[in-house]
Amino acid sequence: MSDLRELYQEVIFDHNRNPRNYGVLENANRKAEGFNPLCGDQLTVYMLVNDQGIIEKVTFEGQGCAISTASASIMTEELIGKTVQQAQEIFDNFHTVVTGGDCDVEIGKLQVLTGVKDYPTRVKCATLPWHTTNAAINQQDEPVTTE
Ligand code: ZN
């Protein structure tokens, strides 16, 4: 698929090859599963949220394409130390940008993933980890699916 090459910036390659915060979080108090049947991406997000609503740790594991893996990896780096409220705001902004909307807010490292906006099927790969995290925050029992 030639469209992928344009999306694969070096940062994405790097996060895909060497995902940050990868693995099961033993003392997690939030957890959710996500699945993108269109691409075959699946992942589980583990979170440790403290009494003040601050995300102390986030990890993920699973199997997915480069975009979903890189997005999950970058996401974990963004979320550690943030409140669940901030996490939802970051997700809203990211979602707005990758679906082609205007957003005045600086989205930092997530910027590398915004190339997906021209490829609707890839938007699902990039947002799957975020939808899954949202479900974990809201302690939703049903697995998340993009379809
Ligand atoms: Zn994918």
Side-chain angles (χ1 to χ4, degrees), residues 36 39-41 64-68 121-122 124-126:
N36 173 14
C39 179
D41 309 315
C65 65
I67 298 289
S68 69
T121 59
R122 294 281 140 186
K124 292 181 178 175
C125 302

Side-chain angles (χ1 to χ4, degrees), residues 47-141:
M47 306 177 82
L48 176 63
V49 179
N50 72 16
D51 294 343
Q52 285 81 48
I54 294 166
I55 300 165
E56 292 194 353
K57 285 182 185 156
V58 195
T59 69
F60 75 101
E61 59 152 19
Q63 300 217 307
C65 65
I67 298 289
S68 69
T69 303
S71 180
S73 174
I74 295 168
M75 178 189 78
T76 61
E77 289 195 318
E78 282 292 306
L79 293 186
I80 293 169
K82 302 286 198 318
T83 65
V84 294
Q85 172 81 31
Q86 287 170 319
Q88 276 162 337
E89 287 167 14
I90 295 167
F91 176 42
D92 286 345
N93 294 332
F94 178 61
H95 195 265
T96 300
V97 174
V98 295
T99 53
D102 287 321
C103 176
D104 300 335
V105 183
E106 185 53 56
I107 58 168
K109 276 183 213 158
L110 303 175
Q111 197 71 42
V112 300
L113 289 156
T114 57
V116 300
K117 66 174 181 279
D118 297 324
Y119 308 92
T121 59
R122 294 281 140 186
V123 170
K124 292 181 178 175
C125 302
T127 56
L128 178 68
W130 289 89
H131 285 298
T132 309
T133 295
N134 231 5
I137 288 171
N138 295 309
Q139 294 178 292
Q140 207 174 291
D141 288 331

